[in-house]
Amino acid sequence: MINGIILYTIAIIYLGISFTKDKYKTKAALLSSWKMFHNVLPDLLAIMLFVGLALSLLTPSLISSIIGENSGLLGIIYSTLIGSIALVPSFIVFPLGHTLVQNGAALPQVAVLMSTLMSVGLTTLSMEQKTFGRSFAYARNISAIIMSLLFALIIWVVMT
Amino acid sequence: MKKLKRYRFFFILLLGLLLIAFMNQAIAMTTVQLTGKSILDMLFLLPPIFILVGLLDQWIKKESLIRYMGEKSGIYGVFFTLSLATVAAGPLYIAFPIAVLLLKKGASVRYIVFFLGAWSTVKLPVLVYEFTSFGPKFTLIHICFGLVFYYLTGILFEKIYGQQKLLKADITKEI
């Protein structure tokens, strides 16, 4: 909420400065903002609905039972799969991860889940492809999966 | 018709939700609540970000951005990219249009990859939360490893992808 207020304040201040300096540039800027919004809206609505479905089917206690203390490598694979589907912002991911750990999930598995949730997005892949082209989108997602797995490995070695 | 076609995934999922509603109303209700909340969150967060991107597009000169994020910007580029990525809030797909704009203005591929990586790893507003729920050790490993990894990935990707290759689709134009 506070984030939003700060963002709006900054946006309005800059918009005001821009408007007093050059009306036409400001108009052009707003027009391109609207087009961007218009372009991402269909994808966004679908993503939101998908994430909503996924989160209501996969409750924290269910996830915790899949990736518990003794789930080992299989647990890591499951977390990678679950985490790779959606792209979720960090202000939702960390509270979710915290709940999972309290429900009995193991730390490395939760680490890989959180990291992939934030950086790997199969649902948003079509959107990413439209933006950067297929090859780059795939490569970026693969690199994010590798990063998440290595991160989990480090957590496993250092913290358990 | 073309406009409706762009919403096809949304309608397919809506159909799925309807099916679930017939089988289990409780799950359907939670879905509607969760989805409604995240849609409201996004509608709240997106407009100021897109307005800022639109303004940047109009006002920032290519030459000055090349100085901050171009191929020769060095350590300066790292800090500039890092501060840009960690301050903003929201999921990674908001960063895509921003990244395209930066590319268009002459940022090098290395910093774009680093920007996306940092966006998905470090967020100053939630850093406190990560710190308190997972401890300093976890947070430090996450941040340091993530940033180093994505910087190296950036160097690698820079060798594979050219700047122009990534700029096929211009998001500020209507699809």
Side-chain angles (χ1 to χ4, degrees):
Chain A
M1 210 50 194
I2 293 170
N3 277 331
I5 293 165
I6 296 171
L7 271 174
Y8 272 93
T9 319
I10 296 172
I12 289 168
I13 291 172
Y14 278 112
L15 203 60
I17 297 173
S18 168
F19 190 77
T20 52
K21 278 192 169 167
D22 191 329
K23 256 193 234 171
Y24 295 100
K25 268 192 175 179
T26 314
K27 225 175 138 185
L30 284 177
L31 200 69
S32 68
S33 322
W34 168 249
K35 277 181 189 157
M36 272 184 264
F37 186 67
H38 193 77
N39 284 341
V40 296
L41 198 63
D43 286 327
L44 272 186
L45 284 177
I47 293 163
M48 297 289 155
L49 188 54
F50 186 84
V51 173
L53 271 171
L55 284 180
S56 58
L57 292 172
L58 296 164
T59 55
S61 54
L62 180 68
I63 301 178
S64 299
S65 67
I66 298 174
I67 58 173
E69 292 291 344
N70 302 314
S71 60
L73 197 63
L74 208 61
I76 294 278
I77 294 171
Y78 283 136
S79 339
T80 313
L81 287 176
I82 299 174
S84 297
I85 294 169
L87 259 186
V88 182
S90 48
F91 55 85
I92 298 175
V93 165
F94 288 121
L96 179 73
H98 191 54
T99 321
L100 291 177
V101 171
Q102 281 174 333
N103 277 315
L107 198 57
Q109 279 83 339
V110 172
V112 82
L113 179 74
M114 292 196 300
S115 182
T116 46
L117 272 176
M118 289 187 285
S119 57
V120 187
L122 293 182
T123 354
T124 47
L125 198 61
S126 72
M127 195 174 159
E128 201 174 341
Q129 271 182 45
K130 276 181 219 157
T131 330
F132 299 113
R134 174 174 296 189
S135 149
F136 181 84
Y138 277 74
R140 196 204 62 78
N141 279 285
I142 291 168
S143 79
I145 291 177
I146 295 171
M147 181 269 163
S148 306
L149 289 172
L150 289 175
F151 169 53
L153 184 71
I154 298 174
I155 290 295
W156 180 66
V157 171
V158 177
M159 294 186 72
T160 52
Chain B
M1 203 51 216
K2 209 181 164 193
K3 271 199 174 139
L4 272 179
K5 206 180 157 197
R6 293 177 54 212
Y7 286 92
R8 65 181 180 278
F9 289 118
F10 182 67
F11 287 124
I12 292 169
L13 285 167
L14 214 58
L15 211 69
L17 177 64
L18 226 66
L19 276 173
I20 291 175
F22 276 116
M23 291 185 282
N24 188 332
Q25 280 179 350
I27 290 181
M29 271 312 284
T30 4
T31 308
V32 171
Q33 272 170 2
L34 284 169
T35 311
K37 201 186 161 294
S38 46
I39 287 178
L40 282 181
D41 274 352
M42 272 312 99
L43 289 183
F44 186 68
L45 276 180
L46 278 178
I49 288 180
F50 280 157
I51 287 177
L52 285 173
V53 173
L55 285 174
L56 282 173
D57 190 22
Q58 288 293 322
W59 287 103
I60 295 222
K61 285 196 198 75
K62 208 170 169 173
E63 300 78 51
S64 48
L65 198 95
I66 287 178
R67 202 155 15 121
Y68 291 121
M69 283 179 83
E71 265 159 36
K72 293 187 180 70
S73 54
I75 191 80
Y76 214 52
V78 175
F79 282 113
F80 186 76
T81 313
L82 202 57
S83 52
L84 213 59
T86 51
V87 172
L92 191 61
Y93 48 79
I94 296 181
F96 296 156
I98 303 176
V100 171
L101 173 79
L102 295 172
L103 260 178
K104 212 168 85 184
K105 295 281 177 186
S108 80
V109 177
R110 178 194 313 186
Y111 294 117
I112 293 303
V113 175
F114 186 59
F115 172 75
L116 293 173
W119 183 293
S120 61
T121 316
V122 193
K123 278 271 155 279
L124 288 179
V126 286
L127 205 60
V128 181
Y129 199 92
E130 184 179 4
F131 201 81
T132 46
S133 30
F134 291 95
K137 209 166 159 188
F138 185 94
T139 313
L140 220 62
I141 293 173
H142 182 209
I143 292 174
C144 296
F145 175 68
L147 291 182
V148 171
F149 181 89
Y150 285 119
Y151 187 72
L152 296 177
T153 316
I155 295 177
L156 179 72
F157 278 25
E158 197 173 43
K159 292 203 164 70
I160 306 172
Y161 301 97
Q163 215 162 338
Q164 288 313 313
K165 208 175 152 190
L166 294 185
L167 273 177
K168 273 178 287 184
D170 187 347
I171 37 127
T172 54
K173 290 200 182 68
E174 202 109 26
I175 303 172

